[in-house]
Amino acid sequence: MIRFYGFILTLFCSLSAYGQGLPGYIITMQGDTIRGDVAEKSGQRLYLYTSSENQPKILEADQVLGYGLEGNVPIFSRRVRMGSGSIVSCFVLPQQIGPASLYSFANDFGMLLLPAATDTLYELTATNWHVVLNKYLRACPTLQHTSSEILALSFSEANMQKVLTQYNQCIEPDWKPQYQSNKSAWKQAIGVSTNALRVPLGEEGFYGQKPSGWGGQFGVEWLAFRASGLQTIVKLDYSALFESTPPYQVISNGGTSIDIEERLRARLQFLSATLLIGKQIWPARRPNLIVGGGTGIDLISLGEVETEQRALGSTASFKVVSTSNNPGELRFHLDAYAGVSIPLSPRREVRLNAVYRHYIPDFGLPGIQLAYYWTLQ
């Protein structure tokens, strides 16, 4: 199991630099729109895949006015004075709009300040943010940037929002916070999935025996994905497992065999919630490799184990001699998957995945998953 997760992690990391993308567009410096598959890259770059070219066109933020995903508003390029002092063009997203506004990078981490009456954003860092705010947010006489209260604030988005709210309401008393983060960097989908699971031989189970069996799973999913290929899935599912051990001869308390053979049969039902992080490897609008993994929590709604016995060597049916049931137990699991997504239309796709779920600490289940997704507008 550890080797399997190691393989998925290695594959996820090693392929993350390759071209991905989602149907979208760029806006040229002349204001024209060019459509294709848009892939975000770190360092404020874009890859544009078009049907007329075999290789992607690599574009820096200062070469276009903006970009977006199909059906969504664009993300614009703005001039940013970095913490190092250099001025560069970056793709940015608004987080709070007002007399002074807060932005973030579109495809990198970071916070940016847009002071009033300027078109240049300023990168805020843990070492410079007090200095930048004191320099550009001085129009409010009641906001003292050198006060112990302000200086004691840690560098975080929440504290930045707090200071900007105080400043903006001082400048414009009727102003109210407007958290206008541009979500067009993400697209969303809903889906349904069904899994066929195998309880493998060789894993020690109930009472030291080695059960085998099959299971099924049905889930509903919410999926968010970026043009970088990054995907986040929140999944709710129901699983039913059926297991049994081969017959074995009963041993008495004295350590001697008796003329009875026994087997254990189990029915398990789980309600689970899972958070998954995945990666799409190739450009969109073609069959695509996807890999990922995650973790979740389970509630056992049924945990029934039956002990059945019959005379040794008999051909009669086994008879139930005892039953135990332990519903309501909570446990955790790890998931990994790798497979292929096949687009059916611009808004629909199916996925076929090899999946592995490990219920901690007991056992792991390999399986095959079929999923169907509808992309939301």
Side-chain angles (χ1 to χ4, degrees):
M1 189 274 291
I2 294 176
R3 290 181 179 178
F4 179 81
Y5 281 105
F7 168 75
I8 292 295
L9 179 61
T10 301
L11 185 63
F12 183 90
C13 295
S14 63
L15 293 177
S16 63
Y18 286 82
Q20 299 90 28
L22 292 172
Y25 58 91
I26 65 164
I27 304 173
T28 69
M29 299 299 289
Q30 294 74 36
D32 299 323
T33 299
I34 300 177
R35 301 188 181 279
D37 287 339
V38 177
E40 298 168 333
K41 298 295 177 180
S42 61
Q44 299 297 320
R45 291 179 298 152
L46 295 176
Y47 283 10
L48 176 66
Y49 300 84
T50 61
S51 57
S52 60
E53 297 179 357
N54 294 327
Q55 296 296 321
K57 181 179 294 185
I58 302 175
L59 299 166
E60 305 288 341
D62 59 359
Q63 295 177 292
V64 295
L65 292 180
Y67 75 96
L69 302 184
E70 201 67 51
N72 291 40
V73 297
I75 297 166
F76 290 106
S77 174
R78 300 289 294 268
R79 287 165 53 86
V80 177
R81 181 178 289 276
M82 305 299 288
S84 62
S86 61
I87 297 180
V88 297
S89 294
C90 300
F91 297 111
V92 298
L93 294 172
Q95 300 297 327
Q96 178 176 301
I97 304 301
S101 302
L102 187 67
Y103 283 74
S104 65
F105 293 114
N107 52 4
D108 284 313
F109 295 104
M111 287 185 287
L112 308 167
L113 174 70
L114 179 64
T118 181
D119 59 358
T120 298
L121 290 91
Y122 294 84
E123 183 185 22
L124 301 171
T125 68
T127 57
N128 79 353
W129 74 291
H130 286 298
V131 175
V132 173
L133 295 185
N134 181 61
K135 183 176 181 179
Y136 295 103
L137 303 184
R138 305 188 67 173
C140 174
T142 61
L143 181 61
Q144 302 297 322
H145 296 284
T146 57
S147 68
S148 57
E149 178 185 0
I150 296 297
L151 292 176
L153 295 176
S154 60
F155 179 63
S156 68
E157 183 175 343
N159 286 333
M160 195 66 59
Q161 300 274 17
K162 177 180 177 180
V163 174
L164 283 184
T165 296
Q166 183 178 346
Y167 174 84
N168 288 337
Q169 289 178 338
C170 176
I171 300 302
E172 295 183 7
D174 294 334
W175 179 87
K176 297 185 182 300
Q178 303 174 45
Y179 303 106
Q180 297 182 357
S181 178
N182 186 336
K183 300 302 184 182
S184 63
W186 293 86
K187 291 187 78 70
Q188 301 178 49
I190 56 174
V192 293
S193 62
T194 183
N195 295 15
L197 303 171
R198 173 65 170 162
V199 180
L201 285 168
E203 290 204 13
E204 192 170 285
F206 303 107
Y207 305 103
Q209 300 305 309
K210 297 178 179 179
S212 64
W214 290 89
Q217 185 182 100
F218 175 79
V220 292
E221 305 182 14
W222 172 84
L223 168 68
F225 45 100
R226 288 187 69 104
S228 63
L230 179 67
Q231 303 184 353
T232 301
I233 299 174
V234 177
K235 179 180 180 182
L236 301 176
D237 61 63
Y238 163 81
S239 303
L241 307 178
F242 303 91
E243 304 174 292
S244 64
T245 65
Y248 55 92
Q249 191 169 359
V250 175
I251 305 298
S252 69
N253 291 334
T256 60
S257 299
I258 57 179
D259 295 335
I260 295 176
E261 63 178 352
E262 185 177 87
R263 70 180 181 188
L264 302 176
R265 308 188 72 177
R267 292 186 300 156
L268 303 175
Q269 295 178 11
F270 297 86
L271 296 174
S272 306
T274 309
L275 175 64
L276 299 162
I277 304 296
K279 190 76 172 179
Q280 174 180 294
I281 305 305
W282 297 314
R285 295 192 281 207
R286 68 183 67 176
N288 212 312
L289 178 64
I290 49 175
V291 295
T295 185
I297 189 170
D298 312 282
L299 172 65
I300 299 179
S301 58
L302 176 67
E304 184 177 83
V305 181
E306 293 181 344
T307 302
E308 300 180 340
Q309 292 181 347
R310 69 182 179 186
L312 184 65
S314 172
T315 59
S317 300
F318 280 91
K319 293 184 178 181
V320 177
V321 296
S322 67
T323 301
S324 64
N325 195 356
N326 297 295
E329 179 184 345
L330 287 176
R331 62 175 62 199
F332 296 90
H333 67 263
L334 298 174
D335 276 6
Y337 66 90
V340 62
S341 66
I342 304 171
L344 302 179
S345 71
R347 295 184 58 192
R348 291 174 173 80
E349 70 174 75
V350 295
R351 294 187 178 186
L352 182 63
N353 295 325
V355 296
Y356 186 87
R357 172 166 290 187
H358 185 80
Y359 291 103
I360 300 173
D362 296 325
F363 56 91
L365 305 174
I368 296 175
Q369 179 189 72
L370 178 65
Y372 187 90
Y373 290 96
W374 296 265
T375 301
L376 304 176
Q377 290 285 22

